[in-house]
Amino acid sequence: SVEASAIGMTGSIRSIFRDAYPKGLTPTQVRDKLIADGFDLSAQTNPLASIHSVIRRLLDGGEIQPNGDAYRWMGSLRAAAKRAMEEK
């Protein structure tokens, strides 16, 4: 299903950022890493657009942060702490 594939992509991208920490990755590098890891992007009409959407969600959730032209993992615990501080 499309939803299951989106969840799979999000989880895969999250893992890619986590594994790359502390190095940042560009969306193109994320795409290349997905392909190298065997993720099937053939069903995606525009894989980079999908990757950008996931990156936006991870940014909004505080899991990654901008790092120049790239994005870097912040971590789920740090994201949770950031959200807790913003709610106060």
Side-chain angles (χ1 to χ4, degrees), residues 16-17 20 23-27 29-30 33 55 69-72:
I16 287 169
F17 278 113
K23 183 181 171 223
L25 298 170
T26 66
Q29 289 171 316
V30 170
K33 184 72 174 130
I55 286 173
D69 291 338
Y71 300 92
R72 187 175 68 193

Side-chain angles (χ1 to χ4, degrees), residues 30-61:
V30 170
R31 181 202 59 203
D32 294 346
K33 184 72 174 130
L34 281 169
I35 293 167
D37 288 351
F39 194 91
D40 183 12
L41 294 174
S42 64
Q44 303 281 334
T45 50
N46 187 343
L48 272 177
S50 300
I51 290 165
H52 278 281
S53 294
V54 171
I55 286 173
R56 238 183 333 275
R57 285 196 302 274
L58 295 177
L59 275 170
D60 290 347

Side-chain angles (χ1 to χ4, degrees), residues 14 58-59 61-65 72-76 79 83:
R14 186 178 281 122
L58 295 177
L59 275 170
E63 293 183 67
I64 61 174
Q65 65 184 7
R72 187 175 68 193
W73 180 249
M74 278 185 66
S76 298
R83 282 193 297 275

Side-chain angles (χ1 to χ4, degrees), residues 77-88:
L77 290 176
R78 281 176 270 178
K82 179 182 173 191
R83 282 193 297 275
M85 293 301 293
E86 289 172 352
E87 290 170 4
K88 289 184 177 184

